[in-house]
């Protein structure tokens, strides 16, 4: 009988999968636990470390799980109180494939695998939970399937995979065949046949100087151009394209396309002047890609009818939901989602053109608002504008008429796909927002130089735009107008600044959430207006003020601001982080209720989630102060 | 030097002789220790319960723990106190001599860690004297002293609750020497890494 062990058992039984075990079982497990304290930034294990004999549960604090791809550290998971991680030793025999690092001082329970294993074997709920968690934590689906095929095929595992290729790393052959330049072709071919591989790297002092693949053998030997008694260096392809370890799927694919090769050689420092570590073949890419967003985009391009597009949009929702469940970083998820949204809108414009015939002038279809910022994860309403090039006055009427019809058709297709019409009419099909470049220039000039005069018209969403279809030059022209007008435009920034600050604060004086007091959403928290909009508005204001072009995304805007205005970097970085957290809450809520996720039901939230949400609201105060002092707004507000 | 040689000839209980020989080798672990006593006077007061955990390789090993309630019939009777609370406890109960023997076996030559550990050690020494044993020979570390050393504060003492608050270690609803020992253990891990103690 051990009182502290009982305490720990009490703690564990609150969390999955421990809730499936009896208290006695949990006490037995708790008795065998080791308690570890990790200081901030302390590393528990890192990539390539040999496996520990335990897996881990966070007792307090936060542990970041990170992986390195394309020489950049990416956080793939954050473990909070009660989360388990480091499950690899349960399922795989090779070393850790990620790094676990304390984001703040944390206390961790180490549960020995040997103690826990019997409970896994006897309890299918526990097993299933661990398998799912492992899928989250490993991402290396292929090797886990291979090394432990039977275990994993027990659950429907492969189907859940819809990985994000940006961060997906690759499994490849890391014990490649190598040989020396002086070896005879026939011997090398025998070696390749015996090892059942289609390639071999030619090395000189362990550095790769060339590669021979089956293609070389068939085109140079089988054709009789070289005898089989020739030395291998005569037929090798050289130089060989080399990459760093931990290359991501996306980069590997780009490199193969760029160099028109089918194999990449992995070396220690990524150059041909270092030791060979592995070989990536085209086949590895195909395996890794079995289900990915690229496939969706291809299908979008082939779609003929709105209902085909609708089906694809529904699949995107599944993809988003899965990705969020699997804790893939929200910034990656929204990148992918907005690419797919973009492809759908583009296809809608194309289908309209196919119906109406070629446009009589050049034009640009811009998404504005959330899609313009690439932040659209849920099915929200459409926001768009249409800009066409200037034409002679006598043709104007006819041209505008064409584009209005084009826009109406497009928005109606999108409505069929599931994007509702904008309730404020901010769409290209509205004759106000479908006009010529010089009219648009006038429009922006008047918005920015005399803000407030026609303030009913000015909506800040017109300052977040992205070209979907048409002439990029038209978008550039508008961007130039905006940035030219922004320079030293105190009036405009005062206006935008006050607009950004006028939102109601999310928390009361006593740090309680301020909830809707009446209306259909009574008792819920308006995460869009009270939490996300202030960050979005703030980022837009600051980025326009800093005269930084081409960054439309709130997260990236804060990241960029942290670089440009380094003395406030901390505020910007915490805002960037907070924005992601809040977007995730909104998306999860939206997916749950199949709506825009604007209103969050706090009563259905767990205590830890509420804490997380509250923490994400903290940086807003700093941002507000920063905006006030930067634009000297106190006298107005 | 060779102090223990002299001791061996004295008529100590077996477990104490055994304990003394353990100091031939270097300690390989820490033991966090907490006692609950009837008061602050080592001569008059007694230990009511004991809790201890091993700290090995920077982690608290829950399995290597020792906790017991001491049955103090004589003390309670002399002071006209009821011993009901002891009967109600689910913890392992031992008479004082057995408990001390078990504790001494458990701590071995480890480095003791506690909060105001000198007092715990004095209480233990007084009880050991009643068993015709010598005084504890273990090195001892005090988390309060460690904290003051870290922060360079010399003019005040910190209670266990103060320190736990500073390091955000949650208070426990059930108070026992074993709970305290665990909290001291967590404090010790935090202070240890900050002070760079190996």
């Amino acid at each position: 009988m051990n009182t502290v062990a009982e305490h720990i058992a009490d703690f564990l039984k609150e969390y999955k999968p421990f809730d499936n075990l009896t208290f006695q079982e949990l006490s037995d497990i708790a008795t065998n636990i080791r308690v570890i304290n990790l200081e901030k930034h302390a590393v528990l294990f890192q990539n390539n470390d040999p496996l520990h004999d335990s897996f881990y549960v966070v007792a307090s604090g936060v542990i970041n799980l990170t992986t390195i791809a394309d020489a950049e550290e990416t956080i793939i998971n954050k473990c909070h109180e009660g989360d388990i991680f480091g499950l690899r030793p349960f399922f795989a025999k090779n070393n850790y494939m990620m790094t676990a690092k304390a984001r703040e001082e944390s206390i961790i329970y180490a549960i020995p695998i040997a103690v826990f294993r019997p409970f896994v074997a006897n309890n299918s709920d526990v097993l299933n939970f661990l398998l799912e968690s492992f899928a989250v934590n490993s991402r290396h689906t292929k090797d886990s399937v291979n090394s432990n095929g039977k275990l994993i095929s027990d659950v429907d595992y492969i189907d859940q995979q819809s990985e994000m290729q940006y961060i997906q790393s690759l499994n490849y052959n890391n014990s490649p065949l190598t040989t020396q330049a002086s070896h005879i072709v026939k011997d090398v071919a025998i070696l390749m046949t015996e090892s059942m591989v289609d390639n071999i790297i030619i090395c000189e002092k362990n550095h790769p100087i060339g590669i021979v693949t089956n293609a070389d053998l068939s085109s140079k030997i089988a054709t009789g151009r070289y005898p089989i008694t020739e030395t291998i260096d005569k037929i090798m392809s050289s130089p060989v394209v080399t990459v760093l370890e931990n290359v991501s799927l996306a980069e590997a694919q780009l490199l193969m396309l760029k160099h028109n090769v089918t194999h990449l050689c992995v070396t220690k420092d990524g150059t041909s002047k270092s030791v060979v570590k592995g070989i990536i073949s085209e086949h590895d890419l195909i395996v890794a890609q079995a289900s990915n967003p690229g496939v969706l985009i291809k299908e979008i391009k082939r779609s003929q009818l709105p209902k085909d597009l609708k089906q694809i949009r529904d699949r995107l929702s599944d993809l988003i939901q899965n990705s969020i469940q699997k804790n893939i970083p929200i910034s990656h998820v929204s990148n992918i989602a907005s690419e797919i949204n973009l492809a759908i809108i583009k296809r809608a414009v194309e289908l309209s053109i196919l119906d109406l015939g070629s446009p009589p002038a050049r034009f640009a279809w811009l998404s504005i608002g959330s899609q313009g910022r690439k932040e659209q994860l849920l099915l929200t309403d459409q926001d768009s504008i249409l800009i066409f090039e200037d034409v002679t006055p006598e043709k104007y009427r006819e041209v505008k008429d064409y584009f209005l019809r084009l826009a109406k058709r497009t928005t109606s297709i999108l409505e069929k796909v599931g994007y509702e019409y904008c309730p404020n009419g901010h769409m290209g099909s509205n004759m106000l927002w479908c006009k010529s470049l010089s009219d648009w220039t006038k429009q922006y000039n008047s918005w920015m130089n005399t803000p407030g005069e026609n303030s009913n018209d000015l909506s800040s969403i017109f300052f977040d735009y992205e070209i979907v279809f048409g002439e990029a030059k038209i978008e550039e022209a508008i961007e130039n107008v905006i940035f030219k007008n922004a320079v030293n435009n105190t009036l405009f920034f005062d206006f935008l600044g006050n607009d950004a600050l006028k939102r109601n604060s999310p928390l009361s004086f006593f740090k309680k959430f301020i909830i809707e007091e009446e209306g259909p959403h009574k008792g819920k928290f308006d995460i869009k207006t009270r939490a996300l909009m202030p960050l979005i508005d703030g980022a837009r204001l600051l980025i326009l003020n800093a005269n930084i072009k081409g960054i439309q995304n709130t997260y990236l805007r804060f990241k960029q601001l942290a670089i440009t205005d380094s003395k406030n970097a901390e505020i910007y970085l915490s805002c960037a982080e907070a924005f992601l957290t809040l977007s995730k809450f909104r998306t999860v809520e939206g997916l749950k209720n199949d709506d825009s996720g604007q209103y969050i039901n706090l009563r259905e939230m767990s205590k830890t989630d509420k804490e997380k949400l509250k923490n994400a609201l903290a940086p807003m105060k700093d941002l507000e102060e920063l905006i006030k002092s930067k634009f000297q707004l106190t006298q107005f507000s | 030097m060779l102090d223990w040689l002299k001791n061996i000839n004295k008529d100590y209980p077996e477990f104490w002789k055994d304990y003394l020989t353990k100091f031939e080798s270097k300690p390989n672990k820490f033991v966090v220790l907490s006692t609950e006593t009837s008061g602050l006077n080592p001569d008059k007061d007694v230990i009511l319960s004991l809790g201890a955990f091993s700290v090995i390789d920077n982690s608290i090993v829950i399995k290597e723990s020792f906790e017991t309630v001491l049955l103090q019939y004589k003390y309670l009777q002399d002071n006209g106190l009821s011993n009901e609370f002891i009967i109600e406890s689910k913890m392992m109960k031992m008479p004082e001599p057995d408990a001390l023997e078990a504790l001494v076996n458990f701590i071995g030559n480890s480095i003791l860690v506690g909060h105001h550990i000198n007092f715990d050690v004095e209480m233990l020494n007084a009880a050991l004297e009643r068993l015709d044993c010598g005084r504890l020979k273990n090195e001892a570390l005090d988390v309060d002293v460690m904290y003051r050393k870290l922060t360079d504060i010399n003019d005040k003492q910190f209670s266990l609750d103060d320190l736990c608050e500073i390091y955000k270690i949650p208070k426990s609803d059930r108070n026992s020497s074993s709970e305290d020992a665990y909290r001291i253990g967590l404090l010790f891990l935090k202070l240890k890494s900050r002070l760079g103690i190996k």
Side-chain angles (χ1 to χ4, degrees), chain A residues 119-130:
Chain A
F119 298 103
V120 180
N122 297 332
N123 192 323
S124 60
D125 290 334
V126 175
L127 174 65
N128 284 347
F129 179 82
L130 292 188

Side-chain angles (χ1 to χ4, degrees), chain A residues 180-304:
Chain A
Q180 263 125 45
S182 56
H183 284 201
I184 306 299
V185 169
K186 184 182 166 189
D187 298 341
V188 173
I190 290 171
L191 180 65
M192 285 166 69
T193 310
E194 280 171 354
S195 328
M196 293 193 291
V197 295
D198 65 352
N199 62 77
I200 190 162
I201 298 171
I202 322 302
C203 289
E204 200 168 68
K205 293 183 216 142
N206 284 329
H207 298 171
I209 56 167
I211 183 168
V212 168
T213 65
N214 280 0
D216 294 310
L217 294 176
S218 61
S219 67
K220 294 169 191 166
I221 302 295
T223 51
R225 277 168 61 200
Y226 293 91
I228 57 171
T229 50
E230 191 59 89
T231 52
I232 193 78
D233 58 332
K234 295 290 186 309
I235 68 158
M236 72 184 182
S237 308
S238 181
V240 53
V241 183
T242 53
V243 290
L244 264 178
E245 283 185 90
N246 298 318
V247 65
S248 71
L249 173 59
E251 198 186 1
Q253 202 165 25
L254 282 175
L255 284 170
M256 283 192 193
L257 286 171
K258 186 171 156 198
H259 297 285
N260 195 21
V261 293
T262 52
H263 293 80
L264 300 173
C265 176
V266 180
T267 62
K268 202 169 174 214
D269 68 0
T271 70
S272 59
K273 295 278 171 287
S274 70
V275 183
V276 176
K277 303 281 268 190
I279 185 104
I280 301 172
S281 70
E282 230 173 7
H283 179 70
D284 295 325
L285 298 191
I286 294 165
V287 170
Q289 248 182 335
S291 80
N292 81 13
V295 178
L296 287 183
I297 295 206
K298 262 193 195 137
E299 284 182 38
I300 290 169
K301 286 185 178 157
R302 280 200 297 264
S303 298
Q304 293 297 332

Side-chain angles (χ1 to χ4, degrees), chain A residues 443-459:
Chain A
Q443 178 71 71
Y444 275 102
N445 282 341
S446 100
W447 273 336
M448 297 181 73
N449 296 324
T450 54
E453 274 178 33
N454 302 308
S455 60
N456 293 344
D457 285 347
L458 174 55
S459 170

Side-chain angles (χ1 to χ4, degrees), chain A residues 161-181:
Chain A
Q161 295 306 317
S162 40
E163 298 280 7
M164 294 295 168
Q165 60 170 325
Y166 285 108
I167 55 156
Q168 190 174 344
S169 63
L170 273 169
N171 286 293
Y172 49 81
N173 178 4
N174 40 27
S175 47
L177 283 186
T178 57
T179 186
Q180 263 125 45

Side-chain angles (χ1 to χ4, degrees), chain A residues 228-516:
Chain A
I228 57 171
T229 50
E230 191 59 89
T231 52
I232 193 78
D233 58 332
K234 295 290 186 309
I235 68 158
M236 72 184 182
S237 308
S238 181
V240 53
V241 183
T242 53
V243 290
L244 264 178
E245 283 185 90
N246 298 318
V247 65
S248 71
L249 173 59
E251 198 186 1
Q253 202 165 25
L254 282 175
L255 284 170
M256 283 192 193
L257 286 171
K258 186 171 156 198
H259 297 285
N260 195 21
V261 293
T262 52
H263 293 80
L264 300 173
C265 176
V266 180
T267 62
K268 202 169 174 214
D269 68 0
T271 70
S272 59
K273 295 278 171 287
S274 70
V275 183
V276 176
K277 303 281 268 190
I279 185 104
I280 301 172
S281 70
E282 230 173 7
H283 179 70
D284 295 325
L285 298 191
I286 294 165
V287 170
Q289 248 182 335
S291 80
N292 81 13
V295 178
L296 287 183
I297 295 206
K298 262 193 195 137
E299 284 182 38
I300 290 169
K301 286 185 178 157
R302 280 200 297 264
S303 298
Q304 293 297 332
L305 298 166
K307 79 171 191 331
D308 300 340
L309 289 172
K310 179 170 171 42
Q311 217 184 18
I312 294 167
R313 184 61 186 75
D314 292 344
R315 275 162 65 194
L316 172 63
S317 297
D318 294 345
L319 190 114
I320 292 173
Q321 185 147 26
N322 282 337
S323 314
I324 284 184
Q325 269 165 6
K326 290 179 12 198
N327 276 323
I328 286 173
I330 199 92
S331 55
H332 293 299
V333 182
S334 41
N335 271 342
I336 304 265
S338 55
E339 284 309 317
I340 292 176
N341 277 324
L342 185 107
I344 292 177
I345 302 170
K346 192 171 178 167
R347 186 64 188 162
V349 180
E350 272 171 11
L351 289 175
S352 308
I353 293 178
L354 286 174
D355 274 355
L356 293 175
S358 314
R362 288 179 293 177
F363 74 104
W365 180 279
L366 305 188
S367 275
I368 58 171
S370 62
Q371 172 63 23
R373 288 192 305 272
K374 290 181 179 288
E375 287 164 9
Q376 206 174 57
L377 283 166
L378 300 155
L379 271 172
T380 53
D381 54 351
Q382 344 177 359
D383 294 302
S384 57
I385 61 175
L386 194 152
I387 308 171
F388 52 86
E389 68 179 329
D390 287 303
V391 292
T392 51
E394 59 271 24
K395 278 177 79 183
Y396 183 84
R397 217 189 167 82
E398 185 194 327
V399 168
K400 175 146 181 168
D401 196 46
Y402 172 90
F403 283 116
L404 268 177
R405 274 190 293 143
L406 176 75
K408 280 208 176 107
R409 200 165 276 256
T410 306
T411 51
S412 118
I413 293 176
L414 290 174
E415 202 249 352
K416 288 191 188 106
V417 175
Y419 302 90
E420 278 170 44
Y421 289 124
C422 172
N424 302 318
H426 291 148
M427 293 180 295
S429 54
N430 181 334
M431 55 191 297
L432 278 176
W433 314 130
C434 171
K435 48 191 170 191
S436 69
L437 182 55
S438 56
D439 285 351
W440 269 113
T441 309
K442 276 186 227 149
Q443 178 71 71
Y444 275 102
N445 282 341
S446 100
W447 273 336
M448 297 181 73
N449 296 324
T450 54
E453 274 178 33
N454 302 308
S455 60
N456 293 344
D457 285 347
L458 174 55
S459 170
S460 47
I461 63 169
F462 286 101
F463 294 89
D464 299 324
Y465 46 83
E466 187 198 20
I467 184 158
V468 175
F469 194 96
E471 286 294 315
K473 275 190 189 147
I474 295 182
E475 188 198 21
E476 271 169 43
I478 283 296
E479 183 162 58
N480 286 334
V481 170
I482 291 173
F483 279 93
K484 209 178 79 209
N485 277 323
V487 177
N488 297 328
N489 191 337
T490 330
L491 193 61
F492 174 64
F493 287 116
D494 275 355
F495 187 83
L496 271 196
N498 280 312
D499 199 45
L501 294 181
K502 76 172 184 234
R503 314 259 176 212
N504 299 321
S505 70
L507 295 177
S508 73
F509 182 74
F510 297 105
K511 298 257 182 280
K512 282 216 158 100
F513 289 104
I514 296 184
I515 51 177
E516 298 303 296

Side-chain angles (χ1 to χ4, degrees), chain A residues 1-8 10 23 27 29-40 59-60 105-110 115, chain B residues 53 56-65 67 90-92 167-170 172-174 176 178-179 182 186 189-191 193-194:
Chain A
M1 190 14 236
N2 183 325
T3 25
V4 172
E6 243 179 51
H7 259 316
I8 296 176
D10 269 340
F23 191 74
S27 296
I29 291 165
T31 309
N32 288 292
I33 278 177
R34 285 183 303 120
V35 183
I36 301 167
N37 181 70
L38 291 179
E39 260 191 281
K40 192 173 179 176
S60 69
E105 182 152 3
S106 307
I107 293 173
I108 309 294
Y109 297 143
V115 171
Chain B
F53 284 97
I56 304 171
D57 291 340
N58 281 322
S59 46
I60 302 174
V61 184
I62 300 290
K63 196 176 11 188
E64 280 201 42
S65 65
E67 57 182 312
K90 285 197 286 178
M91 247 191 275
M92 179 167 62
Y167 287 103
K168 300 198 179 61
I169 294 171
S172 146
D173 43 346
R174 297 177 251 171
S176 73
S178 170
E179 299 281 328
Y182 180 68
L186 290 177
L189 289 179
K190 289 174 189 291
L191 288 164
S193 66
R194 283 175 170 77

Side-chain angles (χ1 to χ4, degrees), chain A residues 607-630:
Chain A
K607 207 176 155 207
T608 37
D609 274 350
K610 264 191 228 171
E611 258 336 279
K612 266 187 236 173
L613 179 58
K614 217 172 258 184
N615 286 340
L617 298 172
M620 283 170 52
K621 197 81 205 153
D622 294 333
L623 181 68
E624 197 177 300
E625 292 305 317
L626 187 96
I627 291 175
K628 273 189 191 157
S629 72
K630 209 169 195 117

